[in-house]
Amino acid sequence: MGEQSFGGVHWIEQHAQRLAVMPGAGGGVVAWQWVRDGEPVDLWRAWDGRTPRMQALASYPLLPWSNRISGGGFEHAGRFHALAPNTPDDPYPIHGDGWLQPWQLTRSSEDGVHMQLRSAGFGGSPYHYEASQSFTLVDGGMDQSLSVTNRGEHPLPFGLAQHPWFTRTPACRLSARVDGVWLARPDKIPTGYTTDFPEGWNLGQGALVDRLVIDNGFGGWDGEALIEWPERDLALRMHSTLTLPDGSQARPDCLLYAPAEPPVFCFEPISHPIDAAHLPGQPGWTEVAPGQSMALVVEWRFSSSPADRSAATA
């Protein structure tokens, strides 16, 4: 799984930006571009137009949970819920199942698109839910939202995340205030949380992404981040918030994935750490009762060069 029959790209253009979504391919994004001086500049790493894998898209939504779950599933309210691996290259189920199903384009305008998904036990999953996502182009950026409503008969823990891909350049720097990081085994499952950052991992000091090989979650994030590409004269800010089932606001965690190859990386706002179901206290693993919802909102703003880095650094 993870491969799709790609097709049905839908473009909108407004506010000197171009956005292309592919609802039938997991509700994914094909490209988000800033038209600067008449030329399109990729803000997210764009799909190559050929590779039929979700991981090749510019971005895609993660729900009803994010990243990996070990142990063959999870226990909730005294009942074990089995989850099978859902990709050929990972021993654990990963990123939920919303990215593996076709979404419906329900609304489009000059400056925005809206998509919906109704999922009922996909692949034997215990989750029955309704999800929606929207993208709104605004002056200088884009507002993005993802929400999920439990349509099952029983409360279950849910999670949300976004999975944008970025181009990695030698001078690319990521800055985000965090207070610690989840260390992990080679299979990416966390072993413990520490405030003693490995060399180069303290995002609050600004991390040179091209020097890292990493796939780890960070905690204590304030929801603000700044990505800079000096070679491209480009900067991208993000602000993320969570709305919990009781209507209260919370700060998400974040995850940085930078493989050795190819020269790309992901910086993901996530509602819970990797394998939260099996961590002490199950941080961020949010129970959603039937009919209740939770939502993740991300505001993106771009510029040629940031005035200062204080909003995203310690």
Side-chain angles (χ1 to χ4, degrees):
M1 302 176 74
E3 296 196 1
Q4 299 278 353
S5 177
F6 282 9
V9 177
H10 182 82
W11 285 89
I12 61 171
E13 299 187 32
Q14 190 70 278
H15 299 294
Q17 298 170 68
R18 304 173 74 231
L19 175 72
V21 299
M22 196 183 301
V29 176
V30 170
W32 176 37
Q33 300 170 331
W34 173 21
V35 183
R36 179 169 58 178
D37 299 327
E39 295 295 327
V41 175
D42 286 319
L43 298 167
W44 293 339
R45 186 275 326 261
W47 180 46
D48 62 13
R50 302 182 305 274
T51 307
R53 287 177 60 82
M54 288 297 299
Q55 295 90 335
L57 293 185
S59 183
Y60 43 92
L62 308 184
L63 73 157
W65 42 270
S66 78
N67 222 278
R68 296 166 177 85
I69 294 181
S70 69
F74 63 92
E75 184 173 320
H76 181 71
R79 180 181 177 184
F80 183 78
H81 298 279
L83 293 172
N86 56 4
T87 63
D89 50 3
D90 201 296
Y92 304 111
I94 184 170
H95 294 336
D97 55 42
W99 67 305
L100 300 172
Q101 302 180 67
W103 292 57
Q104 299 296 317
L105 181 66
T106 55
R107 188 170 64 251
S108 178
S109 63
E110 290 183 347
D111 59 0
V113 294
H114 185 269
M115 292 181 277
Q116 288 186 315
L117 169 66
R118 187 70 182 252
S119 181
F122 179 82
S125 162
Y127 288 98
H128 293 241
Y129 63 88
E130 185 174 348
S132 66
Q133 56 174 332
S134 65
F135 303 84
T136 304
L137 301 179
V138 300
D139 188 21
M142 178 172 66
D143 294 341
Q144 179 183 17
S145 69
L146 175 66
S147 66
V148 65
T149 301
N150 183 359
R151 296 303 185 193
E153 297 180 354
H154 306 286
L156 278 178
F158 279 71
L160 296 172
Q162 295 286 1
H163 202 299
W165 292 84
F166 305 98
T167 300
R168 195 175 75 222
T169 61
C172 179
R173 182 182 295 271
L174 167 65
S175 303
R177 284 188 291 260
V178 294
D179 66 17
V181 62
W182 289 96
L183 302 180
R185 308 181 318 218
D187 63 358
K188 317 301 183 185
I189 300 301
T191 57
Y193 189 77
T194 180
T195 57
D196 295 323
F197 294 97
E199 183 177 358
W201 286 29
N202 189 345
L203 306 185
Q205 297 177 354
L208 291 170
V209 182
D210 200 46
R211 299 182 183 179
L212 302 178
V213 176
I214 186 173
D215 191 357
N216 295 73
F218 293 78
W221 185 40
D222 65 0
E224 303 278 348
L226 171 66
I227 305 172
E228 301 167 276
W229 295 269
E231 306 98 323
R232 303 173 65 199
D233 191 24
L234 179 65
L236 184 61
R237 292 185 182 274
M238 65 184 298
H239 172 73
S240 303
T241 56
L242 277 169
T243 300
L244 300 178
D246 64 2
S248 63
Q249 301 289 303
R251 294 174 176 174
D253 285 347
C254 57
L255 185 146
L256 175 59
Y257 170 53
E261 292 291 342
V264 296
F265 72 99
C266 301
F267 183 70
E268 308 165 31
I270 56 178
S271 65
H272 60 78
I274 299 171
D275 204 30
H278 299 112
L279 294 177
Q282 298 184 322
W285 194 228
T286 303
E287 182 179 273
V288 181
Q292 286 189 328
S293 304
M294 62 183 297
L296 172 66
V297 172
V298 188
E299 299 173 353
W300 302 90
R301 299 294 184 268
F302 55 81
S303 62
S304 288
S305 57
D308 65 77
R309 301 171 62 237
S310 60
T313 57

